[in-house]
Amino acid sequence: MTDSVKIMPKSDLHRTQGPRVVALAYDGLCTFEFGIAYEVFGLSRPEMGEGWYRFSVAGIEPGPLRAAGGLTVAVDQGLELLEEADLIIAPGWRAIDAPVPEPLTSALRAAHERGARVMSLCSGVAVLAASGLLAGRRATTHWRYVASIAERYPDIALDADVLYMDEGSILTAAGSAAGIDLCLHVVRGDFGPDAANSVARRLVVPPHREGGQAQFIATPVPEEREGIRLGPLIEWMRERLSEDQPISLLADKAGMSMRTFQRRFEAATGDSVGEWLLKERLRHARDLLEKELAVSLDDIALASGFGTLATMRHHFRRRLGTSPSTYRKSFGN
């Protein structure tokens, strides 16, 4: 026995005037990824005002449509919605190697040429790849789908480590939950950090996660006594990011040899001392760029421990794919 779900157009629920978001529905619908798209872009958020997103669902084939979890979905509208869309979301795909219907790929190409953004969540990358929209571009997907996509579409520059990839009008997310990260990223770009933070609080998730898929590789759980021993030192390091922190000094404060300290610090945090400090300095610099608009970039570089703006700019480019000034323009509150 299956449950039937009626998907109503957003206009039937509440009226807004913002960007039109269209999520694709299909037989074999990935309900989790679809739910992410609806939760972020389709849920009523009167506190955001009339400029918030308008959400609709386009069925790519006649219904009723089966969905994961034993649901049956009925959708009133079809691919004609893509002609009015500002953002189109492919919420996963029924199988990474399942063929993508030509009417869908044609409609996606036409919408993109018209100026719509196109976004995939997890295995939805197969839809964008089949449409030719990822040719010559960078993209990501769940790590277990990378080999399959790379074999069939060698002209796509796949990055298996990041949580999402923003190529401007083409956006791709990694594993299923990374779709939340990408959707919040879109909200942040469209409406600013306060809006993204508000949505994240409703979802009870962080507004931004560090790192990529590699962070989910299993690492040994540190012994409790090491956490107790290193915890105060780690807080001490966080409070002094602007200062030099040579390993010899840190090992001495921890009461360990340098070799033992490095080994135990990495076991406790998952990173080497240098990598951990770099991530913390980037986090602190981003926080200052978002909130301290009157502080100069040079002073932020000093306060974050980079020393010079050139060094901070280098690490922003290498790790975040942007510059400090561009980041401030995008996310400065």
Side-chain angles (χ1 to χ4, degrees):
M1 181 176 180
T2 60
D3 294 320
S4 180
V5 177
K6 178 72 170 180
I7 298 180
M8 299 296 293
K10 185 179 178 183
S11 58
D12 291 346
L13 300 175
H14 54 96
R15 298 184 181 276
T16 53
Q17 302 169 2
R20 180 177 291 280
V21 178
V22 176
L24 303 177
Y26 49 86
D27 196 51
L29 180 66
C30 296
T31 49
F32 182 73
E33 289 86 346
F34 178 86
I36 290 171
Y38 173 75
E39 180 75 20
V40 174
F41 300 109
L43 200 64
S44 177
R45 300 183 189 277
E47 71 277 11
M48 297 298 185
E50 295 183 355
W52 192 245
Y53 298 101
R54 295 170 290 162
F55 184 84
S56 302
V57 180
I60 72 168
E61 52 205 345
L65 306 174
R66 294 168 298 173
L71 302 176
T72 300
V73 175
V75 184
D76 290 337
Q77 296 171 284
L79 290 176
E80 68 278 0
L81 283 178
L82 273 58
E83 299 173 5
E84 305 174 3
D86 298 302
L87 172 64
I88 301 167
I89 303 176
W93 188 234
R94 44 193 166 217
I96 195 64
D97 55 356
V100 181
E102 193 281 331
L104 173 57
T105 58
S106 295
L108 287 172
R109 287 193 296 269
H112 182 255
E113 289 173 6
R114 177 179 53 76
R117 290 175 291 176
V118 182
M119 181 166 78
S120 67
L121 308 181
C122 196
S123 58
V125 73
V127 176
L128 274 58
S131 302
L133 296 176
L134 296 178
R137 295 179 181 267
R138 297 181 303 159
T140 191
T141 186
H142 195 289
W143 54 264
R144 68 191 184 105
Y145 298 140
V146 169
S148 175
I149 294 296
E151 182 179 357
R152 288 182 289 146
Y153 303 99
D155 54 354
I156 301 174
L158 287 164
D159 189 335
D161 183 44
V162 298
L163 292 175
Y164 58 82
M165 188 74 71
D166 182 349
E167 285 281 278
S169 60
I170 302 290
L171 306 98
T172 51
S176 298
I180 299 174
D181 298 283
L182 178 54
C183 290
L184 290 174
H185 170 75
V186 170
V187 172
R188 190 179 300 113
D190 288 348
F191 293 95
D194 284 350
N197 291 345
S198 175
V199 175
R201 282 193 294 270
R202 287 274 295 272
L203 287 167
V204 198
V205 297
H208 177 79
R209 286 195 294 168
E210 293 287 350
Q213 296 190 76
Q215 68 182 299
F216 299 104
I217 298 173
T219 56
V221 177
E223 295 182 17
E224 184 178 359
R225 62 185 177 86
E226 291 301 339
I228 294 173
R229 193 172 186 180
L230 291 177
L233 175 61
I234 289 173
E235 286 306 308
W236 183 92
M237 293 167 69
R238 280 200 178 101
E239 293 170 358
R240 294 165 175 80
L241 291 174
S242 63
E243 303 174 11
D244 288 336
Q245 298 189 26
I247 292 177
S248 57
L249 171 65
L250 299 174
D252 185 61
K253 290 185 70 66
M256 305 177 189
S257 69
M258 289 198 343
R259 180 177 296 180
T260 299
F261 170 72
Q262 288 175 284
R263 184 177 70 251
R264 292 184 177 176
F265 185 93
E266 187 164 350
T269 66
D271 287 315
S272 67
V273 177
E275 179 69 11
W276 185 90
L277 280 169
L278 176 57
K279 289 180 178 179
E280 286 295 309
R281 284 169 171 153
L282 283 170
R283 177 195 58 76
H284 187 49
R286 288 204 315 271
D287 188 57
L288 292 175
L289 288 168
E290 291 177 13
K291 298 177 181 178
E292 304 294 340
L293 301 186
V295 179
S296 71
L297 296 180
D298 290 290
D299 286 343
I300 288 177
L302 286 171
S304 304
F306 290 111
T308 67
L309 176 55
T311 300
M312 182 169 73
R313 186 180 292 119
H314 166 76
H315 288 298
F316 263 69
R317 286 287 186 192
R318 183 166 167 262
R319 293 301 181 96
L320 305 179
T322 189
S323 68
S325 58
T326 300
Y327 185 91
R328 169 175 270 176
K329 289 177 183 177
S330 300
F331 305 123
N333 187 7

